Amino acid sequence: MSNYKTSTIKHFILYVLLVAFLISCAGKEKKKEINKRPNIVLIVADDLGFGDIGCYGGDIETPNIDNLATKGIKFSSFHTAPMCAPTRAMLLSGTDNHIAGMGGQGLVTTEFGYEGKLTNRIVTIPALLRDSGYHTYIAGKWHLGKEPKSNPHQKGFEHSFVLLEGAGNHYNNLSVLKKGNSNYTEDGEPTVWKEGDYSTDFYTSKIIEYIDGNKEDDQPFFAFATYTSPHWPLQVDKKHWEKYKGQYDDGYEKLRERRLNSLKKAGIIPDYVNAPPNHERVMPWDSLSNDQKMKEVRKMELYAGMVDNLDHNIGRLITYLKEIDEYENTLFVFMSDNGAANRDFIDGDRYKELSKILRENYNDDYDNMGNANSYISYGPQWAEAGSSPFRYYKDYATQGGINTTMVISGPRVSRKNEIHHGFTSLLDLAPTFYELADIKHPKEYHGNEIYPLKGNSLIPFISGSSDLIHDSNYVFAIEHYGHAMLRKGDWKITNFIRPFKVENFGLYDLSNDITEQNDLKTKEPEKYKELLNEWDTFSKEIRIQTPPPKPKVETIEK
């Protein structure tokens, strides 16, 4: 072979190798670019009051949440569903709770919208994120179906440790809703709670464990920390609640006043706002005996301790992410799933049969409060204080049940230490995460037609490119067991009377009446008619049934 031919072949081989090398480099750069997408940590507190945390003016020590707020945005008009399960269904699907299958918490039927589990009409955030290369993890409360095909392991989560029911003992396996034990699964398989582990501590450790297991592969992750705190029963170690001893000795009415003023001072609500009258179930503080007051005070001390512990664990997660150099590339969303909770299932006057069952394993004695065999809820009196300045609390579609805390911090958040007063909702989070991850919400998934998203991405707002999230024509509506609302711009119709009747809707102008005290339906008949027409359209779209369909299975959590 001539030297010329030999030289030509060598050059050709070098050329081929160079091209292959460049293609390989381009592929690696593309992969690197994909893997630079932000991690997402979604933290959901369970039944947290609107003004509890420090950055919202609250008196509970929450330095880690407050620090996230300093580096990001607080939302004063963030909206959820009025109860845990429908909120989780809407959150993970980006659409209405009926479309997602959770039309009634604890209700399982074969009817559209009331299946009691996530349906094939939706695709979950973790499913799409996992398909696009994200690791997906969940630890905490699931509350979206107990059967194996409804498990988070089948809904897009790579790793999961979850409580299937809506509440659990914070220290052991014993149920707080029925006889027997709570139901837990890990990665889809039944498991049991290790005696003595505290819920929020353990769930945080699980999230850290899951992230740590894949930290070297350079893929982004979605971590859903769906805590059961500060949901009843109020149980927490003394080191977290004893610091609050004496802080609430003057009672829930005074705390409600303080929260109203501290929210104003923090800039969360306008100065002109006055608290509405108490719910009829709230007894005047001065009417209680000294023993009753002592017990009431301890309830709030325990509750504060649970929030304190929650913040401590958020700090643990933040510290870990800093240690593995992922903190700066992580978007944090902290929120509550609904307003403060009023139920007290051990109350024999209201829940006779269940109270009888619970008292076989629990008591609410003063000296035992906060321990693993105590069953304490803080009731409507403290819930009303926790929901200040709004009307009522969890269960209701009034602002007290659905206007909750949200803080966002991290990549793409150019606004720092700001408060956003415009309307936002949990439906805005799915499109935000999809835009952040550079993926599209499909019209079809695994052969099933998928309902469209109902919210707007927050990215244009949080990045500073837009000051608007929703215009005045955007409609947001909720129905859950007859508690119903619809909002368009600043106008809202609210129904809190059951059984549900359309004529019981009141009309409120939230631009100057966030406490929903001035019903304008007779003064503004055209606006009232406009919103009722929107309600008619909405209720037909999601196929609301009033009363709800007959259950195949039903729990006490309605």
Side-chain angles (χ1 to χ4, degrees):
M1 187 180 290
S2 68
N3 290 335
Y4 173 76
K5 286 184 177 179
T6 302
S7 177
T8 301
I9 291 170
K10 286 182 178 178
H11 281 95
F12 177 73
I13 292 171
L14 286 171
Y15 174 76
V16 171
L17 290 173
L18 178 61
V19 170
F21 174 74
L22 291 173
I23 290 172
S24 174
C25 288
K28 288 179 180 178
E29 284 302 312
K30 180 65 176 175
K31 183 179 179 183
K32 190 174 180 182
E33 182 181 325
I34 290 172
N35 291 343
K36 276 187 176 179
R37 293 178 298 172
N39 308 310
I40 301 168
V41 171
L42 174 58
I43 302 169
V44 177
D46 203 349
D47 298 350
L48 184 74
F50 182 65
D52 285 341
I53 60 177
C55 58
Y56 277 62
D59 55 2
I60 302 174
E61 294 179 17
T62 54
N64 295 295
I65 301 170
D66 299 347
N67 187 53
L68 290 176
T70 300
K71 297 178 179 179
I73 309 166
K74 299 184 289 288
F75 292 79
S76 69
S77 188
F78 175 71
H79 291 70
T80 64
M83 290 190 76
C84 308
T87 282
R88 283 159 175 75
M90 295 171 74
L91 182 62
L92 290 178
S93 68
T95 190
D96 177 78
N97 56 298
H98 295 76
I99 291 171
M102 195 56 68
Q105 180 168 304
L107 179 62
V108 179
T109 81
T110 57
E111 300 284 331
F112 180 104
Y114 298 88
E115 293 91 342
K117 60 185 178 182
L118 296 180
T119 69
N120 291 331
R121 295 186 292 271
I122 62 98
V123 58
T124 66
I125 291 170
L128 292 183
L129 289 177
R130 189 176 183 184
D131 289 349
S132 76
Y134 272 71
H135 290 299
T136 54
Y137 314 123
I138 179 175
K141 182 161 107 175
W142 179 237
H143 211 187
L144 293 171
K146 295 181 183 179
E147 58 193 44
K149 64 182 180 181
S150 297
N151 193 273
H153 201 55
Q154 303 297 322
K155 296 297 178 181
F157 285 103
E158 179 182 348
H159 287 300
S160 60
F161 189 107
V162 293
L163 168 67
L164 297 181
E165 292 94 356
N169 189 298
H170 292 283
Y171 287 105
N172 60 45
N173 214 46
L174 196 63
S175 176
V176 298
L177 297 170
K178 58 181 173 49
K179 282 192 175 186
N181 292 327
S182 298
N183 293 296
Y184 293 91
T185 64
E186 183 163 25
D187 293 346
E189 297 297 323
T191 189
V192 294
W193 193 265
K194 182 182 175 184
E195 186 84 19
D197 281 345
Y198 185 70
S199 60
T200 311
D201 298 344
F202 179 80
Y203 293 137
T204 305
S205 295
K206 271 295 172 186
I207 288 288
I208 291 173
E209 174 190 322
Y210 293 153
I211 296 171
D212 201 62
N214 292 306
K215 66 181 179 181
E216 302 297 338
D217 68 5
D218 205 32
Q219 287 179 239
F221 62 81
F222 170 69
F224 186 18
T226 171
Y227 292 116
T228 53
S229 178
H231 195 293
W232 46 260
L234 304 181
Q235 300 168 334
V236 70
D237 291 354
K238 280 187 177 182
K239 65 181 179 181
H240 291 290
W241 70 259
E242 279 192 319
K243 68 175 73 175
Y244 298 99
K245 286 184 73 171
Q247 193 157 308
Y248 305 105
D249 285 357
D250 54 355
Y252 37 78
E253 292 167 338
K254 291 295 183 181
L255 178 62
R256 194 183 191 211
E257 290 178 16
R258 289 199 298 275
R259 288 287 172 80
L260 178 70
N261 292 327
S262 62
L263 284 160
K264 291 177 181 179
K265 187 176 180 179
I268 303 295
I269 63 172
D271 287 338
Y272 63 78
V273 174
N274 294 310
N278 280 329
H279 192 283
E280 60 186 14
R281 287 180 56 202
V282 178
M283 295 178 61
W285 180 255
D286 289 342
S287 70
L288 304 184
S289 68
N290 287 335
D291 286 347
Q292 288 175 316
K293 288 178 179 179
M294 281 178 58
K295 193 170 184 179
E296 287 297 324
V297 168
R298 179 57 48 83
K299 288 179 182 181
M300 189 61 205
E301 291 167 353
L302 290 170
Y303 176 90
M306 292 180 74
V307 177
D308 187 286
N309 170 268
L310 174 65
D311 182 81
H312 165 73
N313 277 283
I314 292 171
R316 285 180 59 210
L317 180 55
I318 289 171
T319 297
Y320 167 74
L321 292 177
K322 288 179 178 179
E323 289 172 352
I324 64 169
D325 201 26
E326 290 289 350
Y327 173 76
E328 296 296 335
N329 192 40
T330 300
L331 181 80
F332 292 89
V333 177
F334 172 83
M335 58 172 280
S336 178
D337 61 349
N338 43 243
N342 73 94
R343 281 194 175 89
D344 186 358
F345 284 145
I346 207 166
D347 180 353
D349 292 332
R350 294 181 64 82
Y351 304 99
K352 291 182 181 179
E353 293 303 315
L354 180 57
S355 175
K356 187 176 179 180
I357 292 169
L358 292 173
R359 287 187 182 277
E360 293 176 8
N361 297 300
Y362 295 100
N363 69 64
D364 58 352
D365 297 343
Y366 178 79
D367 291 337
N368 191 44
M369 290 175 71
N371 295 327
N373 64 335
S374 71
Y375 200 112
I376 302 297
S377 304
Y378 80 172
Q381 56 276 14
W382 293 107
E384 192 100 281
S387 296
S388 181
F390 303 124
R391 187 176 193 173
Y392 303 155
Y393 31 69
K394 177 181 176 178
D395 298 358
Y396 292 97
T398 55
Q399 294 299 98
I402 64 174
N403 192 338
T404 70
T405 302
M406 184 173 75
V407 172
I408 293 183
S409 178
R412 303 286 291 273
V413 182
S414 63
R415 300 172 185 268
K416 306 298 181 185
N417 201 26
E418 285 195 14
I419 302 171
H420 179 60
H421 297 293
F423 175 85
T424 50
S425 87
L426 74 177
L427 297 179
D428 299 324
L429 293 177
T432 302
F433 297 160
Y434 296 147
E435 182 172 352
L436 200 68
D438 194 26
I439 58 179
K440 291 184 178 180
H441 186 258
K443 294 182 179 180
E444 185 179 294
Y445 189 75
H446 291 177
N448 299 299
E449 184 178 349
I450 301 300
Y451 276 70
L453 299 172
K454 284 183 169 286
N456 292 342
S457 172
L458 300 174
I459 297 297
F461 174 77
I462 65 177
S463 65
S465 63
S466 174
D467 291 329
L468 188 68
I469 297 172
H470 295 289
D471 65 27
S472 60
N473 290 315
Y474 178 75
V475 174
F476 174 81
I478 294 169
E479 189 278 337
H480 189 252
Y481 286 121
H483 291 306
M485 59 76 64
L486 182 142
R487 178 166 175 165
K488 186 176 183 181
D490 288 326
W491 291 93
K492 178 187 178 187
I493 51 173
T494 309
N495 179 43
F496 51 86
I497 299 172
R498 293 197 290 188
F500 174 84
K501 294 180 181 179
V502 171
E503 57 265 31
N504 286 333
F505 271 119
L507 175 69
Y508 305 96
D509 180 1
L510 298 189
S511 68
N512 55 40
D513 185 22
I514 61 173
T515 60
E516 296 167 281
Q517 293 302 292
N518 187 18
D519 186 352
L520 299 173
K521 68 181 181 183
T522 57
K523 293 183 178 180
E524 299 283 351
E526 291 303 312
K527 181 59 68 174
Y528 187 58
K529 182 179 179 182
E530 177 188 343
L531 267 63
L532 288 182
N533 287 337
E534 295 283 6
W535 175 260
D536 185 61
T537 300
F538 168 76
S539 61
K540 288 176 180 175
E541 176 199 3
I542 66 170
R543 306 188 198 180
I544 292 174
Q545 295 189 41
T546 51
K550 189 175 180 180
K552 182 172 70 175
V553 177
E554 190 170 12
T555 76
I556 59 168
E557 290 191 81
K558 190 167 100 174

